[in-house]
Amino acid sequence: ANNTSGLVGIRPRYELYSDHFCLYFVASWREGGKACSTSFSAEKHGLIGALKLAMARREEATGLRYDMTARKALNRMKHLITDK
């Protein structure tokens, strides 16, 4: 899989609701060959908060730790985040 976010296993996703887009950060990993994922809303948790939660969930699931803060990770993926 190609990594365009600069953070392995985390990507932004927009969902369209009736009148606006909502940004989510999606954490994904594999368990026993099965694809797993969960997402956190930037609207509910804030940009940094949602990204921190996604990073923490993936770290918990994989046992691998990220070597950067959520703020630095957000800077790496700014090109994928728009003001929709």
XYZ file of all heavy atoms in Angstrom:
662
model
N 0.837 -1.188 0.000
C 0.000 0.000 0.000
C 0.878 1.245 0.000
O 1.924 1.264 0.614
C -0.916 -0.012 1.214
N 0.411 2.258 -0.682
C 1.155 3.514 -0.730
C 0.827 4.367 0.484
O -0.316 4.467 0.893
C 0.794 4.300 -1.996
C 1.270 3.592 -3.233
O 2.236 2.867 -3.193
N 0.579 3.805 -4.334
N 1.859 5.002 1.034
C 1.667 5.887 2.173
C 1.828 7.320 1.698
O 2.926 7.738 1.372
C 2.683 5.551 3.265
C 2.564 6.475 4.447
O 2.280 7.656 4.292
N 2.776 5.946 5.616
N 0.750 8.065 1.657
C 0.833 9.463 1.227
C 0.726 10.425 2.400
O 0.999 11.601 2.251
C -0.283 9.803 0.217
O -1.543 9.576 0.839
C -0.156 8.965 -1.034
N 0.337 9.918 3.584
C 0.127 10.804 4.728
C 1.420 11.111 5.467
O 1.465 12.052 6.254
C -0.872 10.191 5.711
O -0.293 9.109 6.397
N 2.472 10.321 5.246
C 3.707 10.513 5.988
C 3.690 9.825 7.336
O 4.638 9.905 8.106
N 2.614 9.119 7.647
C 2.471 8.419 8.914
C 1.865 7.049 8.617
O 0.692 6.955 8.268
C 1.558 9.232 9.838
C 1.576 8.900 11.304
C 2.965 9.139 11.902
C 0.566 9.752 12.045
N 2.650 6.016 8.750
C 2.205 4.667 8.405
C 0.980 4.285 9.239
O 0.972 4.439 10.456
C 3.343 3.644 8.634
C 2.844 2.224 8.427
C 4.505 3.940 7.710
N -0.070 3.835 8.556
C -1.264 3.336 9.228
C -2.268 4.384 9.656
O -3.284 4.055 10.263
N -2.012 5.654 9.347
C -2.945 6.730 9.693
C -3.216 7.549 8.443
O -2.300 7.897 7.711
C -2.353 7.677 10.762
C -1.891 6.921 12.007
C -3.355 8.787 11.102
C -2.996 6.415 12.890
N -4.485 7.834 8.202
C -4.817 8.668 7.048
C -6.041 9.516 7.375
O -6.879 9.121 8.189
C -5.088 7.826 5.814
C -6.283 6.931 5.939
C -6.482 6.064 4.695
N -7.509 5.079 4.920
C -8.819 5.303 4.892
N -9.269 6.494 4.629
N -9.682 4.342 5.118
N -6.135 10.681 6.734
C -7.342 11.484 6.895
C -8.437 10.986 5.946
O -8.137 10.434 4.886
C -6.886 12.889 6.502
C -5.738 12.672 5.591
C -5.100 11.376 5.983
N -9.678 11.134 6.361
C -10.816 10.773 5.507
C -11.922 11.801 5.742
O -12.200 12.186 6.871
C -11.336 9.382 5.889
C -12.564 8.980 5.076
C -13.148 7.654 5.518
N -13.874 7.840 6.767
C -13.913 6.951 7.756
N -13.272 5.814 7.660
N -14.592 7.201 8.855
N -12.519 12.239 4.667
C -13.653 13.161 4.768
C -14.942 12.397 4.509
O -15.004 11.560 3.619
C -13.530 14.285 3.730
C -12.481 15.296 4.087
C -11.188 15.183 3.603
C -12.788 16.357 4.926
C -10.226 16.116 3.939
C -11.834 17.294 5.262
C -10.555 17.166 4.767
O -9.605 18.080 5.099
N -15.966 12.700 5.310
C -17.295 12.138 5.084
C -18.262 13.298 4.895
O -18.228 14.273 5.640
C -17.734 11.278 6.264
C -16.953 9.986 6.355
C -17.537 9.025 7.378
O -18.657 9.259 7.877
O -16.854 8.041 7.668
N -19.112 13.165 3.907
C -20.096 14.193 3.618
C -21.389 13.897 4.380
O -21.959 12.813 4.258
C -20.389 14.252 2.120
C -21.457 15.231 1.673
C -21.080 16.662 2.054
C -21.682 15.115 0.180
N -21.800 14.857 5.170
C -23.092 14.775 5.840
C -24.036 15.711 5.106
O -23.657 16.321 4.126
C -22.938 15.093 7.324
C -22.210 13.970 8.039
C -20.843 14.029 8.236
C -22.883 12.824 8.431
C -20.164 12.983 8.846
C -22.219 11.770 9.036
C -20.860 11.859 9.241
O -20.201 10.831 9.825
N -25.243 15.868 5.560
C -26.257 16.596 4.797
C -25.797 17.970 4.324
O -26.087 18.358 3.203
C -27.536 16.722 5.611
O -27.272 17.406 6.818
N -25.059 18.694 5.144
C -24.700 20.049 4.747
C -23.214 20.383 4.892
O -22.813 21.505 4.654
C -25.523 21.057 5.547
C -25.257 20.955 7.039
O -24.717 19.931 7.479
O -25.589 21.912 7.767
N -22.396 19.425 5.303
C -20.975 19.726 5.478
C -20.121 18.453 5.468
O -20.634 17.346 5.624
C -20.754 20.502 6.780
C -21.038 19.704 8.012
N -22.312 19.406 8.433
C -20.205 19.144 8.908
C -22.257 18.694 9.541
N -20.992 18.509 9.853
N -18.821 18.650 5.282
C -17.865 17.553 5.349
C -17.322 17.451 6.762
O -17.130 18.471 7.436
C -16.675 17.808 4.405
C -16.988 17.599 2.966
C -17.374 18.657 2.163
C -16.874 16.336 2.401
C -17.658 18.476 0.827
C -17.155 16.139 1.062
C -17.549 17.209 0.272
N -17.047 16.234 7.218
C -16.410 16.007 8.511
C -15.096 15.268 8.262
O -15.058 14.300 7.496
C -17.287 15.163 9.420
S -18.714 16.056 10.028
N -14.048 15.735 8.916
C -12.733 15.122 8.801
C -12.551 14.096 9.912
O -12.840 14.380 11.083
C -11.639 16.190 8.901
C -10.201 15.707 9.002
C -9.781 14.931 7.751
C -9.262 16.879 9.243
N -12.092 12.916 9.526
C -11.762 11.851 10.475
C -10.318 11.432 10.240
O -9.834 11.492 9.110
C -12.650 10.621 10.248
C -14.080 10.828 10.652
C -14.974 11.444 9.792
C -14.541 10.402 11.889
C -16.298 11.650 10.151
C -15.870 10.597 12.258
C -16.734 11.219 11.384
O -18.038 11.412 11.746
N -9.644 10.989 11.296
C -8.346 10.344 11.147
C -8.566 8.860 11.361
O -9.126 8.439 12.376
C -7.327 10.904 12.141
C -6.873 12.275 11.760
C -7.391 13.399 12.371
C -5.936 12.448 10.749
C -6.990 14.671 11.999
C -5.528 13.717 10.363
C -6.058 14.827 10.994
N -8.160 8.071 10.381
C -8.379 6.633 10.383
C -7.077 5.923 10.735
O -6.048 6.158 10.101
C -8.859 6.154 8.998
C -9.101 4.650 9.005
C -10.108 6.906 8.572
N -7.146 5.062 11.738
C -6.017 4.200 12.102
C -6.322 2.816 11.551
O -7.433 2.308 11.713
C -5.864 4.138 13.620
N -5.355 2.198 10.887
C -5.583 0.853 10.346
C -4.399 -0.050 10.673
O -3.269 0.407 10.812
C -5.834 0.913 8.842
O -4.760 1.524 8.186
N -4.706 -1.340 10.810
C -3.702 -2.349 11.134
C -4.270 -3.712 10.783
O -5.398 -3.826 10.333
C -3.333 -2.264 12.631
C -4.463 -2.604 13.544
C -4.749 -3.819 14.088
C -5.498 -1.725 13.993
N -5.888 -3.748 14.842
C -6.357 -2.478 14.814
C -5.774 -0.374 13.787
C -7.481 -1.920 15.433
C -6.888 0.173 14.405
C -7.720 -0.595 15.217
N -3.474 -4.751 10.964
C -3.919 -6.116 10.694
C -3.819 -6.941 11.968
O -2.867 -6.814 12.714
C -3.078 -6.749 9.602
C -3.316 -6.087 8.235
C -2.582 -6.775 7.109
N -3.311 -7.651 6.239
C -4.500 -7.459 5.679
N -5.175 -6.397 5.948
N -5.021 -8.326 4.859
N -4.829 -7.774 12.178
C -4.829 -8.728 13.295
C -5.114 -10.104 12.724
O -6.190 -10.333 12.194
C -5.901 -8.366 14.330
C -5.538 -7.200 15.202
C -6.616 -6.878 16.239
O -7.528 -7.707 16.442
O -6.524 -5.799 16.829
N -4.126 -10.985 12.818
C -4.314 -12.340 12.301
C -4.692 -12.363 10.842
O -5.517 -13.169 10.425
N -4.134 -11.461 10.054
C -4.424 -11.394 8.629
C -5.679 -10.627 8.277
O -5.982 -10.409 7.110
N -6.446 -10.211 9.289
C -7.692 -9.475 9.061
C -7.436 -7.973 9.174
O -6.802 -7.508 10.118
C -8.723 -9.900 10.104
C -10.051 -9.223 9.940
C -11.009 -9.652 11.047
C -12.249 -8.790 10.973
N -13.018 -8.830 12.206
N -7.940 -7.212 8.203
C -7.800 -5.759 8.228
C -8.715 -5.169 9.296
O -9.892 -5.520 9.382
C -8.151 -5.173 6.865
N -8.162 -4.270 10.114
C -8.925 -3.594 11.164
C -8.698 -2.097 11.044
O -7.638 -1.656 10.597
C -8.448 -4.044 12.538
S -8.601 -5.803 12.833
N -9.687 -1.328 11.459
C -9.515 0.125 11.462
C -10.517 0.753 12.416
O -11.522 0.149 12.780
C -9.687 0.704 10.062
O -11.023 0.597 9.642
N -10.203 1.961 12.803
C -11.105 2.782 13.597
C -10.824 4.227 13.242
O -9.767 4.532 12.685
C -10.946 2.519 15.109
O -11.996 3.152 15.818
C -9.593 2.998 15.618
N -11.764 5.113 13.517
C -11.557 6.507 13.144
C -12.021 7.434 14.260
O -12.857 7.079 15.087
C -12.287 6.821 11.840
O -13.669 6.595 11.982
N -11.449 8.640 14.239
C -11.728 9.649 15.254
C -12.035 10.973 14.570
O -11.300 11.403 13.684
C -10.535 9.788 16.206
C -10.239 8.508 16.941
C -9.346 7.588 16.418
C -10.879 8.221 18.133
C -9.081 6.401 17.073
C -10.624 7.029 18.798
C -9.727 6.119 18.267
N -13.092 11.620 14.994
C -13.581 12.842 14.377
C -12.801 14.074 14.835
O -12.657 14.315 16.042
C -15.058 13.026 14.740
O -15.484 14.333 14.470
N -12.334 14.860 13.871
C -11.673 16.124 14.186
C -12.696 17.137 14.693
O -12.362 18.010 15.488
C -10.951 16.661 12.960
N -13.937 17.012 14.258
C -14.986 17.913 14.723
C -15.241 17.711 16.215
O -15.425 18.669 16.966
C -16.268 17.650 13.921
C -17.352 18.660 14.130
C -18.495 18.466 13.144
O -19.257 17.497 13.291
O -18.597 19.274 12.218
N -15.205 16.469 16.656
C -15.471 16.141 18.060
C -14.246 16.340 18.943
O -14.351 16.851 20.051
C -15.946 14.692 18.159
C -16.250 14.240 19.565
C -16.789 12.827 19.571
C -17.089 12.354 20.973
N -17.609 10.981 20.979
N -13.059 15.920 18.460
C -11.848 15.896 19.288
C -10.841 16.993 18.960
O -9.827 17.104 19.641
C -11.145 14.539 19.144
C -11.996 13.377 19.520
N -12.325 13.068 20.814
C -12.614 12.443 18.756
C -13.090 11.992 20.846
N -13.289 11.596 19.609
N -11.084 17.761 17.888
C -10.098 18.724 17.409
C -9.091 18.014 16.515
O -8.962 16.781 16.575
N -8.386 18.768 15.668
C -7.433 18.151 14.732
C -6.373 17.331 15.459
O -6.177 16.147 15.176
C -6.730 19.223 13.890
C -7.432 19.714 12.641
C -6.654 20.855 12.011
C -7.611 18.589 11.652
N -5.681 17.969 16.393
C -4.600 17.286 17.107
C -5.153 16.161 17.983
O -4.592 15.065 18.027
C -3.788 18.284 17.966
C -3.096 19.314 17.064
C -2.758 17.566 18.822
C -2.030 18.759 16.164
N -6.262 16.408 18.646
C -6.854 15.389 19.515
C -7.243 14.132 18.767
O -6.958 13.014 19.211
N -7.890 14.291 17.614
C -8.308 13.129 16.816
C -7.091 12.377 16.289
O -7.063 11.143 16.289
C -9.194 13.579 15.663
N -6.081 13.106 15.866
C -4.869 12.457 15.358
C -4.143 11.726 16.482
O -3.680 10.596 16.303
C -3.952 13.489 14.697
C -2.679 12.960 14.040
C -2.966 11.819 13.073
C -1.950 14.092 13.335
N -4.068 12.329 17.669
C -3.449 11.663 18.830
C -4.169 10.359 19.160
O -3.535 9.344 19.435
C -3.495 12.565 20.065
C -2.401 13.572 20.151
C -2.522 14.342 21.473
C -1.488 15.421 21.569
N -1.625 16.210 22.797
N -5.496 10.402 19.141
C -6.280 9.198 19.446
C -6.041 8.102 18.413
O -5.890 6.926 18.762
C -7.768 9.540 19.521
C -8.197 10.339 20.752
C -9.617 10.874 20.572
C -8.095 9.482 22.005
N -5.993 8.477 17.140
C -5.748 7.495 16.078
C -4.345 6.889 16.223
O -4.175 5.679 16.088
C -5.911 8.141 14.703
N -3.363 7.747 16.508
C -1.995 7.249 16.679
C -1.913 6.305 17.885
O -1.311 5.229 17.800
C -1.020 8.417 16.862
C -0.818 9.231 15.594
S 0.111 10.774 15.865
C 1.763 10.125 16.166
N -2.544 6.683 18.983
C -2.515 5.851 20.192
C -3.201 4.505 19.952
O -2.708 3.459 20.400
C -3.188 6.581 21.348
N -4.313 4.516 19.229
C -5.038 3.252 18.971
C -4.211 2.321 18.109
O -4.159 1.116 18.346
C -6.381 3.543 18.298
C -7.184 2.294 18.006
C -7.538 1.568 19.308
N -8.193 0.312 19.053
C -7.589 -0.880 19.096
N -6.304 -0.974 19.380
N -8.277 -1.976 18.859
N -3.545 2.873 17.089
C -2.723 2.016 16.233
C -1.502 1.510 16.993
O -1.104 0.356 16.842
C -2.290 2.747 14.964
C -1.597 1.782 14.006
C -1.377 2.385 12.648
N -0.961 1.372 11.705
C 0.289 0.891 11.605
N 1.230 1.324 12.404
N 0.575 -0.038 10.709
N -0.911 2.356 17.827
C 0.224 1.917 18.647
C -0.203 0.777 19.567
O 0.516 -0.213 19.718
C 0.765 3.087 19.481
C 1.563 4.089 18.679
C 2.042 5.270 19.505
O 1.490 5.521 20.603
O 2.971 5.943 19.043
N -1.382 0.910 20.166
C -1.902 -0.127 21.057
C -2.125 -1.438 20.300
O -1.801 -2.515 20.794
C -3.218 0.364 21.664
C -3.909 -0.629 22.564
C -5.273 -0.135 23.008
O -5.435 1.079 23.211
O -6.178 -0.974 23.128
N -2.662 -1.344 19.109
C -2.989 -2.536 18.323
C -1.749 -3.239 17.775
O -1.718 -4.461 17.685
C -3.921 -2.164 17.169
N -0.741 -2.461 17.401
C 0.431 -3.053 16.740
C 1.630 -3.229 17.658
O 2.530 -4.004 17.359
C 0.894 -2.177 15.555
O 1.323 -0.914 16.057
C -0.211 -1.997 14.530
N 1.669 -2.487 18.755
C 2.836 -2.519 19.636
C 3.991 -1.677 19.112
O 5.038 -1.603 19.733
N 3.786 -1.017 17.967
C 4.819 -0.159 17.384
C 4.569 1.278 17.800
O 3.429 1.734 17.805
C 4.806 -0.271 15.859
C 5.013 -1.666 15.292
C 4.785 -1.673 13.796
C 6.406 -2.170 15.635
N 5.629 1.994 18.129
C 5.502 3.381 18.568
C 5.922 4.347 17.474
O 6.882 4.105 16.754
C 6.387 3.636 19.805
C 6.033 2.768 20.994
C 4.732 3.248 21.643
N 4.279 2.349 22.682
C 3.164 1.646 22.634
N 2.383 1.706 21.584
N 2.810 0.866 23.621
N 5.199 5.453 17.366
C 5.580 6.501 16.427
C 6.703 7.323 17.037
O 6.734 7.545 18.248
C 4.382 7.408 16.100
C 3.341 6.723 15.256
C 2.133 6.332 15.788
C 3.593 6.450 13.920
C 1.179 5.687 15.009
C 2.653 5.806 13.131
C 1.450 5.431 13.683
O 0.526 4.789 12.910
N 7.607 7.788 16.193
C 8.741 8.581 16.664
C 8.520 10.073 16.452
O 9.474 10.832 16.355
C 10.030 8.127 15.996
C 10.021 8.341 14.492
O 8.948 8.669 13.942
O 11.079 8.194 13.861
N 7.246 10.480 16.393
C 6.944 11.905 16.228
C 5.662 12.243 16.976
O 4.859 11.368 17.272
C 6.813 12.266 14.751
C 5.572 11.756 14.073
S 5.465 12.222 12.345
C 6.641 11.090 11.644
N 5.510 13.523 17.252
C 4.300 13.992 17.924
C 3.162 14.105 16.912
O 3.389 14.120 15.699
C 4.535 15.381 18.551
O 4.771 16.315 17.489
C 5.709 15.366 19.518
N 1.960 14.216 17.431
C 0.792 14.389 16.564
C 0.907 15.693 15.782
O 0.524 15.761 14.616
C -0.486 14.362 17.393
N 1.432 16.731 16.403
C 1.571 18.020 15.715
C 2.518 17.906 14.520
O 2.234 18.410 13.430
C 2.081 19.084 16.690
C 2.026 20.476 16.108
C 2.213 21.552 17.144
N 1.254 21.519 18.241
C -0.003 21.974 18.168
N -0.442 22.490 17.045
N -0.810 21.909 19.195
N 3.629 17.209 14.696
C 4.578 17.021 13.594
C 3.948 16.150 12.499
O 4.108 16.409 11.307
C 5.871 16.385 14.103
C 6.947 16.308 13.052
C 8.268 15.880 13.637
C 9.324 15.847 12.559
N 10.633 15.439 13.074
N 3.215 15.119 12.914
C 2.536 14.254 11.949
C 1.510 15.043 11.141
O 1.388 14.863 9.931
C 1.870 13.090 12.674
N 0.777 15.940 11.820
C -0.210 16.768 11.134
C 0.463 17.656 10.083
O -0.046 17.807 8.975
C -0.981 17.617 12.137
C -2.106 18.477 11.578
C -3.178 17.618 10.917
C -2.714 19.322 12.686
N 1.616 18.197 10.407
C 2.362 19.003 9.430
C 2.747 18.184 8.211
O 2.730 18.689 7.097
C 3.608 19.624 10.064
C 3.270 20.851 10.873
O 2.261 21.509 10.636
N 4.099 21.155 11.850
N 3.073 16.907 8.410
C 3.434 16.032 7.287
C 2.255 15.741 6.364
O 2.446 15.463 5.194
C 3.985 14.700 7.798
C 5.394 14.773 8.244
C 5.944 13.384 8.362
N 7.332 13.430 8.771
C 8.054 12.355 8.968
N 7.532 11.160 8.807
N 9.307 12.469 9.329
N 1.054 15.755 6.923
C -0.105 15.413 6.089
C -0.969 16.615 5.730
O -2.060 16.458 5.211
C -0.929 14.297 6.729
C -1.520 14.600 8.056
S -2.543 13.231 8.686
C -1.325 12.056 9.196
N -0.470 17.815 5.963
C -1.223 19.036 5.635
C -1.694 19.055 4.184
O -2.758 19.572 3.889
C -0.374 20.277 5.911
C -0.320 20.643 7.366
C -1.146 21.866 7.619
C -0.895 22.373 9.012
N -2.098 22.484 9.785
N -0.899 18.495 3.272
C -1.275 18.492 1.858
C -2.523 17.656 1.588
O -3.137 17.787 0.539
C -0.094 17.992 0.999
C 0.245 16.559 1.240
N 0.892 16.124 2.380
C 0.032 15.456 0.488
C 1.053 14.812 2.317
N 0.542 14.388 1.184
N -2.922 16.810 2.537
C -4.115 15.974 2.359
C -5.340 16.560 3.037
O -6.451 16.068 2.858
C -3.861 14.579 2.944
C -2.732 13.795 2.299
C -2.477 12.517 3.088
C -3.057 13.472 0.854
N -5.152 17.613 3.825
C -6.240 18.202 4.586
C -6.615 19.541 3.966
O -5.767 20.390 3.765
C -5.832 18.367 6.061
C -5.534 16.986 6.639
C -6.921 19.075 6.849
C -4.911 17.011 8.003
N -7.896 19.681 3.654
C -8.366 20.909 2.998
C -9.457 21.555 3.832
O -10.033 20.926 4.727
C -8.917 20.610 1.598
O -10.034 19.738 1.736
C -7.874 20.002 0.694
N -9.763 22.761 3.519
C -10.884 23.453 4.158
C -12.114 23.231 3.301
O -12.411 24.013 2.418
C -10.604 24.954 4.280
C -9.432 25.246 5.185
O -9.234 24.472 6.149
O -8.721 26.240 4.947
N -12.810 22.139 3.532
C -13.980 21.804 2.717
C -15.212 22.458 3.262
O -15.371 22.674 4.408
C -14.163 20.283 2.659
C -13.080 19.645 1.831
C -13.436 18.231 1.502
C -12.381 17.640 0.578
N -12.727 16.418 -0.015
